[in-house]
Amino acid sequence: MLAAALFMTVGCSSMETQTAAPKPTVSAPAAPKLSLYERLGGTGPITAVVGKFVSNVAADKRINGYFAKADIPKLKRQLVDQVCQASGGPCTYDGQDMKTTHKGMKITTAAFNALVEDLVAALDTFNVPEQEKGELLAVLGPMKKDIVEVP
């Protein structure tokens, strides 16, 4: 009985193959490209990375002095909003522009680079893929000109 069913199935399918017209190839519509925000995982993962980043900065003797008087909870909220908005998310950064925020702080290129190292370490902690890490750094990198006062 199993052999008969198998024979009928094979027989029918081979008959269909012989008599059926070839089916046109239809391309599936391209999946919509996800924003960097979506590929980073949204606000939750961004908040986790920012928390680790701020911890890294606090432990970094090269730059933690710049943050000695900072309101850390407010800083974290603003960084989350800034990264969220910069990566195409629904958040709105409502803090001051980078030039105004860092005016007179005499931030050096070395200090800026140390900050970037701390951010990369935070991204690596959460295994952010290289492509997304690179895109995020590319979005944030242009802020350097408004932050660094001492080359």
Side-chain angles (χ1 to χ4, degrees), residues 6-86:
L6 183 58
F7 175 75
M8 288 178 63
T9 304
V10 171
C12 290
S13 66
S14 64
M15 282 178 30
E16 284 178 30
T17 305
Q18 293 170 1
T19 59
K23 294 182 182 178
T25 305
V26 179
S27 302
K33 185 174 181 189
L34 297 176
S35 69
L36 177 57
Y37 169 81
E38 292 167 314
R39 288 180 284 131
L40 289 171
T43 307
I46 289 172
T47 301
V49 168
V50 166
K52 179 62 176 162
F53 168 61
V54 170
S55 295
N56 291 349
V57 169
D60 190 339
K61 294 182 193 300
R62 300 173 296 173
I63 59 174
N64 59 11
Y66 289 107
F67 298 90
K69 296 180 182 177
D71 176 347
I72 300 302
K74 180 180 177 184
L75 175 66
K76 285 181 180 179
R77 280 192 309 277
Q78 288 183 326
L79 287 171
V80 168
D81 286 345
Q82 192 174 39
V83 171
C84 173
Q85 179 178 324

Side-chain angles (χ1 to χ4, degrees), residues 17-18 22 99 116 145:
T17 305
Q18 293 170 1
K99 194 167 207 71
V116 172
K145 69 180 177 18

